[in-house]
Amino acid sequence: MRAWVGIVVVATIAAFIGAHNYQKPTPDTNARMRAFITTIETRAASNPRDAYAYLKNAVRTDDTAAYLAHYTGHIVGGALYDMYGMDGMSTCDDDLLYACFHGFMLRALDQGEDPLAVVQSCKEYGSHHTSQEKQAYAYLVGCVHGLGHSFFTMVDDELAPALKACEEFIDTDVVLYDEFKKPMLDGVLSCKEGVFMQRAETARPVRDAFAHDPWSFCSFPNAQDRIACARYQGLLAHRLLTPTATTIVSICESAPDEDMKNNCYHEAGFTESLVFEEKQLSVPNVIAACAAIERPYGVYRCTAVAAATYVLEQFPNWKEAAHALCASLNEGSQACFARVALMTAYISEY
C-alpha cells in the first residue's frame, strides 16, 4: 500500500456542492458564496466545533449555505482534525450527508493516520444509534462510503490503488440488509461504491466514449468492482450527457448482467429525485422516469430509493413526495413504505 504522508489533496467546490442541491444560485450570488465560505473557514480555524454548529443552523435558513453545505462541511471536518487529532471525529454526525466525516477522513489520511485506525473510529462512531440496523447504516453508508471517496482522492484519482485500499483496510463483518431482509451492503462494497461515486463526481472520463459505450467504464475482471461501478452510471451520465428523464433508465437497462442492472436502478432513483428536485419539477416526473424501466423489480428499486432520497435529503415536500412515490407502485408498495419508515426513523436520531 502506498504511503499516505505528503500527498496533496486538491478539491474544488464543484466536487462537493452537488450533494445538497436545492436550487443553484444565480451568478449574482457568487459574492455571497465566497463570503459564506470565508466565514466558515475563519470560524473553523479558531473553533471548528462552533463552526459546525453555526453551519448546521445556517443551512436551515439560508439558500446559499444550503447549496454549499456539503463543501463547507468538508472544511469543518478538516479543521476538526487539525485542532483535535482523531478525537475531533466525535464532533461529526450524520448531518449534511456526512460532510464533516468526509472532510475529517481526507485530512486524517493526508496527515499520515493509519487507515485501520480511521476505520476503527468509524465503527465506534455509529454506536450512539439505538439499533444494530441504524448503527450499520451509519457505519457503512456514512463513514465507510466516505473512506472510499477519500481513498480515490488520496491516490490522485487512480481506480486500481483506491479499490485495493478498500479490500486491504475494510472488512465485511458489518452488513446492511434491505427491506426484504437480504444482504445488500458490506464494508468493502460500500467503500468501493464511494470510490466510484468520487470518480463520477470529479474525474474526467471522455464524454464521447461514455456516450458510445457507457458500460466500458465498468469493464473490470472483479464482479464486485463491476457492481459497485454500476451504481454510479446514472451520476456519470448526468454529469457528462445532460440526460433526459429516460436516459439513465435506458443505460441501466443495457447493463451486462442482472446484478449490475439492479445496482444501476438504485442510483437511478437517487439521481432522478435530485435532478428533478433541483429543476423544481413535480414528483410525477420521478415516477414516470422509474416507470419506464422494463422489469418490475427495477421499477420498485428506482422508486423506493427515490422516496428514501426525499426523506434523507429533507426536501421541503419530503413527506408528501415519499408517500406519493410509494403509493404509485403496483408491486412493492408496502416494502417501499417500510423503507421510508426506516429512513424516517434514522433521521430522527440526527
Side-chain angles (χ1 to χ4, degrees):
M1 190 67 201
R2 70 159 63 191
W4 298 99
V5 181
I7 299 177
V8 178
V9 178
V10 179
T12 63
I13 295 174
F16 303 109
I17 55 178
H20 223 74
N21 275 339
Y22 293 111
Q23 186 176 9
K24 289 184 178 180
T26 54
D28 64 343
T29 64
N30 286 342
R32 291 181 60 198
M33 292 171 65
R34 289 192 296 269
F36 184 75
I37 292 169
T38 299
T39 296
I40 295 299
E41 289 175 336
T42 302
R43 284 177 172 265
S46 61
N47 188 335
R49 287 174 174 156
D50 173 75
Y52 193 43
Y54 173 85
L55 173 60
K56 291 197 292 182
N57 182 66
V59 300
R60 289 163 175 78
T61 59
D62 183 90
D63 288 342
T64 301
Y67 184 66
L68 293 170
H70 198 75
Y71 173 71
T72 48
H74 275 244
I75 294 172
V76 173
L80 282 165
Y81 178 82
D82 289 341
M83 186 164 290
Y84 303 110
M86 289 302 295
D87 291 340
M89 184 182 280
S90 62
T91 299
C92 296
D93 58 20
D94 306 347
D95 215 347
L96 311 183
L97 293 180
Y98 308 98
C100 181
F101 281 108
H102 295 175
F104 184 93
M105 290 184 289
L106 277 166
R107 187 66 56 81
L109 293 174
D110 180 51
Q111 294 302 308
E113 290 288 350
D114 181 359
L116 290 174
V118 178
V119 171
Q120 184 58 39
S121 296
C122 282
K123 287 187 176 181
E124 294 169 359
Y125 131 76
S127 62
H128 70 279
H129 286 292
T130 58
S131 72
Q132 287 186 341
E133 188 169 40
K134 292 172 186 174
Q135 289 175 18
Y137 192 93
Y139 169 64
L140 294 173
V141 179
C143 215
V144 172
H145 180 89
L147 278 172
H149 283 260
S150 300
F151 287 154
F152 187 72
T153 301
M154 298 300 296
V155 295
D156 302 323
D157 297 355
E158 293 290 336
L159 277 174
L163 295 171
K164 182 180 179 181
C166 290
E167 295 171 353
E168 183 172 348
F169 294 116
I170 311 296
D171 55 43
T172 58
D173 58 344
V174 178
V175 178
L176 185 65
Y177 295 85
D178 66 15
E179 56 272 36
F180 302 108
K181 308 301 181 185
K182 296 180 180 179
M184 179 175 68
L185 196 65
D186 63 28
V188 175
L189 180 59
S190 181
C191 180
K192 288 182 175 181
E193 288 183 348
V195 169
F196 284 108
M197 185 175 186
Q198 187 68 16
R199 179 184 72 160
E201 290 177 341
T202 63
R204 294 177 176 81
V206 179
R207 182 188 305 268
D208 291 344
F210 184 85
H212 175 70
D213 184 8
W215 291 106
S216 66
F217 287 77
C218 293
S219 57
F220 303 97
N222 184 307
Q224 187 181 58
D225 293 349
R226 294 195 298 271
I227 293 169
C229 178
R231 180 157 182 169
Y232 294 103
Q233 288 292 86
L235 188 59
L236 201 52
H238 176 56
R239 181 167 164 258
L240 293 177
L241 304 180
T242 313
T244 65
T246 59
T247 302
I248 295 171
V249 168
S250 298
I251 289 173
C252 293
E253 292 286 294
S254 66
D257 62 52
E258 292 302 299
D259 288 334
M260 294 174 74
K261 279 187 173 72
N262 288 338
N263 224 22
C264 187
Y265 293 144
H266 184 112
E267 184 61 19
F270 175 73
T271 303
E272 299 289 11
S273 59
L274 290 180
V275 171
F276 286 133
E277 186 67 19
E278 177 187 338
K279 294 179 179 178
Q280 298 185 315
L281 299 175
S282 61
V283 170
N285 290 92
V286 184
I287 294 173
C290 291
I293 296 172
E294 295 178 0
R295 299 165 66 249
Y297 178 73
V299 176
Y300 162 75
R301 189 157 182 179
C302 176
T303 305
V305 171
T309 301
Y310 271 87
V311 177
L312 289 174
E313 288 279 347
Q314 292 285 276
F315 290 135
N317 61 334
W318 67 270
K319 289 183 180 179
E320 296 81 1
H323 185 276
L325 283 158
C326 291
S328 73
L329 289 167
N330 294 323
E331 298 182 32
S333 180
Q334 291 306 309
C336 179
F337 282 118
R339 189 184 192 102
V340 166
L342 175 63
M343 294 298 100
T344 303
Y346 179 71
I347 63 170
S348 71
E349 296 192 13
Y350 278 16

